Amino acid sequence: IICFGRLELYKGIDTLLAAWTLLNASQAAAAPQAWAQRLVLAGAVGQGVALPPLPPGVELRDRRIPDAEAIELFRQAALLVLPYRDATQSALIAAAYRFGAPVIVTRRGALPEYVVEGETGWIAPPDNPGALAAALREALADAERLRRMGAAGRSWFKQQRQQEEKALTTLY
């Protein structure tokens, strides 16, 4: 699972870490031998952002991520999480779909416009660790479903781009 980009307060990283802690507790209690998920926070920690101690299974890459590393992260990711508390949009959703990964976003800005809930990803309320943990739990429960949803995201995005191209060609 990846959360990609500069780690800023408005991106809800604290909510994601709280949700991850809740998820770890419930999953480890249910199946301690089977729980081995990893969350990668990939991006420089913003000035004035103090992250809490990282829970088990969280890897922090506190730096600007070079293109080759970013491509590899997206290639390996089963899921992209954008727990934003404030947003207008994010190109990261398109990147995730391009690499066949579904997304979890919060209901902020235009983020939900790029997610067909239950088909290409999940939409959670912002600032709600319990709801985010529930979405993560559901997402991680079925690896095959994640693959299908990632493929659906890629197909959905391709279709949107084709419609946009057609509309722009007609307009001009």
Side-chain angles (χ1 to χ4, degrees), residues 38-57:
R38 183 173 69 127
L39 168 64
V40 178
L41 304 177
V45 176
Q47 287 187 346
V49 175
L51 295 178
L54 298 179

Side-chain angles (χ1 to χ4, degrees), residues 142-158:
D142 185 347
E144 182 53 38
R145 181 179 183 205
L146 275 178
R147 282 188 282 281
R148 285 193 314 269
M149 290 176 78
R154 186 173 186 166
S155 176
W156 179 87
F157 189 76
K158 183 178 178 181

Side-chain angles (χ1 to χ4, degrees), residues 101-119:
V103 298
I104 296 176
V105 302
T106 50
R107 196 169 299 288
R108 284 293 185 235
L111 298 179
E113 295 176 26
Y114 297 95
V115 179
V116 180
E117 194 156 14
E119 291 181 34

Side-chain angles (χ1 to χ4, degrees), residues 2-5 42 65 67-82 91-101 103:
I2 60 172
C3 181
F4 190 89
I65 307 298
D67 291 347
E69 183 180 357
I71 289 168
E72 191 57 30
L73 279 169
F74 275 90
R75 187 173 283 135
Q76 292 178 10
L79 182 67
L80 171 73
V81 181
L82 301 176
L92 294 171
I93 298 169
Y97 288 164
R98 165 60 182 88
F99 286 96
V103 298

